[in-house]
Amino acid sequence: MTYSLAIGDRTYSSWSLRGWLLFAKSDIPVDVVSARMYSPEFIDMLKDFGGGRLVPAIRFDASGGSVIVSDTLAIAETLAERHPDKHMWPQDPAARGFARSITAEMHSGFAALRNDCTMNLRHCYQGFSPSDAVLTDIARIEKIWSEARSRWGKSGPWLFGEYSIADAFYAPLATRLLTYRLPMSALAKEYVETTINDASFKEWRIGGLAENYVQPGYDMDLQTTPWPNA
Ligand SMILES: N[C@@H](CCC(=O)N[C@@H](CS)C(=O)NCC(=O)O)C(=O)O
């Protein structure tokens, strides 16, 4: 059961990070191929993954032949279905229902935060002014994290105690709070720290820094402070 995973720039591609974390945090072996977004190589890479336009995408062999799955939510559900022993969703039905809901909400929502504050693992900025729409997104994220942690988070530091698909989906939102120095409650700060101190996340970020590439249009002309745990 060998998987291939196609990703984009580790520093900037939030969906690639989510897709990769699904494998890394569940210890599912995977061969990763990557290409710089918006380059001809990126389009070429995706020809082996069904010829879609976006990352992440995965490919694996099944009894009926080669299977290609694109879109992070579809990848998450595919892996959870194929690896039930990994408990990628919480075991408790109420927790699982909430985890699925907030994962889907993230997948289709938080447009202001995602558009105004693109993921950027190179920088922590000073002086970014969030719009009201961004603040509204943050308030909702705070509510989600607080509910998950207070109801199901007693057994560990993640949203549902143990790591789940929901944590992979919220990881790039956690880094955005840090990168743009957005307002955070104590609970959110703790969860952001859990996210960025995780060994798999650190491995990903180091890989991104090693790519040593500034994607045009992604950096802001603002003062920066050092990334906290670098
Ligand atoms: N809904 C998709 C979104 C994927 C997506 O937007 N990926 C971006 C990278 S973060 C991409 O491939 N961008 C390349 C492009 O727009 O050409 C998912 O869940 O995977």
Side-chain angles (χ1 to χ4, degrees):
M1 195 186 296
T2 308
Y3 292 96
S4 297
L5 166 70
I7 59 167
D9 314 41
R10 283 174 172 78
T11 300
Y12 302 106
S13 176
S14 60
W15 291 108
S16 296
L17 168 58
R18 293 178 179 101
W20 183 85
L21 282 173
L22 294 173
F23 285 93
K25 294 300 294 175
S26 297
D27 278 327
I28 300 172
V30 63
D31 294 329
V32 178
V33 289
S34 68
R36 192 164 289 166
M37 292 190 294
Y38 318 116
S39 70
E41 294 77 29
F42 186 79
I43 305 294
D44 281 350
M45 173 181 76
L46 287 177
K47 284 181 187 153
D48 291 336
F49 290 82
R53 208 174 47 83
L54 302 174
V55 289
I58 63 169
R59 195 185 57 233
F60 58 93
D61 289 328
S63 51
S66 182
V67 179
I68 288 166
V69 182
S70 57
D71 194 288
T72 315
L73 194 49
I75 293 169
E77 288 293 11
T78 302
L79 294 179
E81 174 187 273
R82 287 170 61 80
H83 300 276
D85 54 310
K86 301 290 186 184
H87 304 307
M88 294 178 74
W89 291 116
Q91 299 275 82
D92 171 71
R96 190 162 62 250
F98 191 66
R100 278 206 158 103
S101 303
I102 64 170
T103 298
E105 181 171 347
M106 190 279 116
H107 189 251
S108 60
F110 306 123
L113 178 61
R114 286 162 58 194
N115 291 337
D116 291 7
C117 307
T118 57
M119 189 182 89
N120 189 330
L121 303 183
R122 287 166 62 87
H123 294 306
C124 293
Y125 290 118
Q126 281 183 316
F128 176 80
S129 297
S131 66
D132 287 348
V134 167
L135 294 174
T136 301
D137 279 351
I138 295 170
R140 175 63 191 155
I141 290 164
E142 288 264 8
K143 188 163 186 298
I144 286 170
W145 290 355
S146 167
E147 184 166 349
R149 293 280 307 134
S150 63
R151 289 181 68 184
W152 296 289
K154 300 286 181 286
S155 64
W158 300 104
L159 291 175
F160 297 87
E162 308 302 319
Y163 198 88
S164 78
I165 289 169
D167 295 294
F169 273 67
Y170 279 87
L173 299 192
T175 71
R176 282 166 161 99
L177 296 189
L178 179 73
T179 290
Y180 296 89
R181 206 187 255 236
L182 295 166
M184 276 184 256
S185 67
L187 183 142
K189 193 164 181 294
E190 198 179 341
Y191 183 66
V192 169
E193 278 167 12
T194 296
T195 300
I196 64 161
N197 286 317
D198 177 66
S200 296
F201 174 80
K202 282 184 171 179
E203 180 189 332
W204 172 272
R205 181 167 178 270
I206 287 167
L209 296 180
E211 286 172 2
N212 195 23
Y213 177 69
V214 178
Q215 184 66 256
Y218 278 69
D219 279 10
M220 286 196 164
D221 192 14
L222 289 172
Q223 292 268 331
T224 60
T225 54
W227 192 270
N229 63 352

